[in-house]
Amino acid sequence: MEGLSPLVWSVVRAHRLSDADAHEVYQTAWFRFAQHLGRIREPGKAGAWLASTARHECLKVIRSSQRLTLTDDPQLLDRVSEDGTPEQSLLDSEEAAAQSERVRRLWQEFEELGERCRQLLRVLMATPPPSYQDVSAALGIAVGSIGPLRQRCLRRLRARLEARGAM
Amino acid sequence: MNDDVFDEDGWDDEEFDAGLLEEELRQAAAVLDPVPAELQQLAVDAYALHDLDARVAELTFDSLVDALPVRGAGDVPRMLTFRAGEMTVDVEVTGHGLMGQVLPPQPARIEVLWGPRPGSSLTADDLGRFTADAPPPGPFALRLRTGGDVVVTEWMRA
């Protein structure tokens, strides 16, 4: 079940909570999951259960405080070039440096997408890829609309990358 | 920022490998925004919280969701109500601590849990009232023993 960690984290990140709030929501979702284990009879539904719980807690945080802090893009991007981080090993060869630059640009363009696309893609990029049921639970959108939205958001992202000459 | 994804954006419907781009995003997320290691571990440790002996008291009222905000009121206490069968637990959380009452009124031994570690202990008096001097530092649950009954409130982020 801990294989669902990236899904829960993605849901929290999709809602742009501060680090402290993100950690607490993540914890709350897992603690409650453990508490209700006996009642979640179909293992296939665990992802949707966790995603939905995380989403509701995210909405409560947003409602309670308005201290919705935007994740700082430069801060995230800095991590690529920070010394001593695991990512540093990416820079160890020129080829890796080019790859790292591509990842950085991709992330930057992703962060600058409209809020709806950014949210959807942040959840879709969890590892392993979440089912549409999980995505629906994570974002409160109909399963049937996810496919077309996904296609459109990814196309939009590609267009941004092309405009920047990054593809 | 244009947020209307339903808008026609002038792109023809030329197919491209959306799956490939999504996979690149997945790899980027794994590098730039991975699950923090301590949270990864927490998902494993959380299993210790699965409590076969206890009944879960579900959240039935949360002032954050079910009450209208008071205009201009700054530090409004969070009011929570949990219910398991006949038993109700009202909890008020402020910056100073917890206050609550078990209903129907009865004495109880209460443990304040804040994760898969032993929590701090409280006692509810004959009227079921209890207080804690410190607010929970993060997500919390109350484990109540009354007579032969054990009840745990749903985990909440205060």
Side-chain angles (χ1 to χ4, degrees):
Chain A
M1 288 295 175
E2 55 269 24
L4 293 167
S5 292
L7 172 64
V8 179
W9 184 244
S10 288
V11 176
V12 172
R13 293 310 243 181
H15 288 86
R16 286 191 183 268
L17 303 186
S18 72
D19 272 357
D21 288 336
H23 280 233
E24 290 198 0
V25 166
Y26 176 100
Q27 290 177 16
T28 304
W30 278 104
F31 292 168
R32 211 177 289 168
F33 179 70
Q35 190 165 43
H36 286 280
L37 261 187
R39 279 197 260 171
I40 303 167
R41 303 205 185 277
E42 293 175 60
K45 298 226 168 116
W49 196 97
L50 277 163
S52 164
T53 302
R55 167 173 180 258
H56 282 107
E57 286 303 308
C58 286
L59 295 180
K60 281 191 188 184
V61 172
I62 291 166
R63 192 187 290 228
S64 77
S65 54
Q66 319 291 339
R67 64 191 150 134
L68 166 71
T69 351
L70 299 184
T71 304
D72 221 32
D73 297 352
Q75 200 186 339
L76 269 179
L77 298 171
D78 277 351
R79 286 199 213 157
V80 182
S81 55
E82 254 172 38
D83 283 340
T85 63
E87 294 82 52
Q88 184 63 27
S89 57
L90 274 178
L91 299 173
D92 283 353
S93 74
E94 257 179 56
E95 197 181 322
Q99 172 60 18
S100 155
E101 172 61 14
R102 180 175 163 73
V103 168
R104 194 191 64 79
R105 281 199 199 178
L106 175 65
W107 198 257
Q108 186 171 8
E109 295 303 333
F110 152 71
E111 285 279 7
E112 287 170 9
L113 284 172
E115 197 51 25
R116 235 176 138 157
C117 278
R118 204 196 54 81
Q119 274 204 338
L120 177 68
L121 294 182
R122 187 62 191 86
V123 172
L124 281 169
M125 69 175 81
T127 305
S131 70
Y132 280 10
Q133 276 73 24
D134 294 353
V135 176
S136 166
L139 297 173
I141 55 180
V143 169
S145 68
I146 295 171
L149 262 177
R150 166 183 178 273
Q151 194 73 13
R152 194 157 278 245
C153 291
L154 286 169
R155 190 180 293 136
R156 189 160 281 202
L157 177 61
R158 186 192 58 160
R160 294 187 68 109
L161 288 165
E162 279 174 351
R164 294 283 186 106
M167 269 189 100
Chain B
M1 217 184 319
N2 183 1
D3 202 23
D4 185 1
V5 289
F6 295 107
D7 216 17
E8 273 312 318
D9 47 8
W11 282 90
D12 53 19
D13 264 350
E14 159 206 0
E15 276 308 306
F16 74 104
D17 199 341
L20 199 66
L21 185 53
E22 188 186 294
E23 188 51 37
E24 278 192 63
L25 280 171
R26 185 164 294 114
Q27 288 170 15
V31 175
L32 294 174
D33 192 17
V35 185
E38 70 272 26
L39 292 188
Q40 187 83 50
Q41 182 58 36
L42 181 131
V44 179
D45 297 343
Y47 285 90
L49 293 169
H50 185 45
D51 188 342
L52 288 169
D53 302 330
R55 288 188 297 146
V56 176
E58 297 198 29
L59 182 71
T60 56
F61 175 87
D62 183 345
S63 57
L64 203 54
V65 177
D66 304 313
L68 290 171
V70 183
R71 194 178 287 271
D75 192 14
V76 192
R78 176 93 171 269
M79 319 278 270
L80 304 165
T81 300
F82 301 92
R83 190 176 189 99
E86 294 299 297
M87 188 196 287
T88 298
V89 186
D90 287 325
V91 184
E92 196 177 308
V93 189
T94 66
H96 307 292
L98 293 175
M99 267 173 57
Q101 187 165 24
V102 184
L103 294 166
Q106 58 197 301
R109 296 215 321 272
I110 301 174
E111 202 185 345
V112 185
L113 308 173
W114 42 65
R117 300 172 292 270
S120 61
S121 296
L122 305 173
T123 310
D125 65 16
D126 289 345
L127 293 174
R129 296 170 306 190
F130 59 90
T131 56
D133 294 336
F140 77 100
L142 302 178
R143 192 167 195 270
L144 301 97
R145 283 174 182 280
T146 59
D149 207 10
V150 183
V151 167
V152 182
T153 61
E154 277 196 300
W155 280 89
M156 291 299 304
R157 185 189 161 279

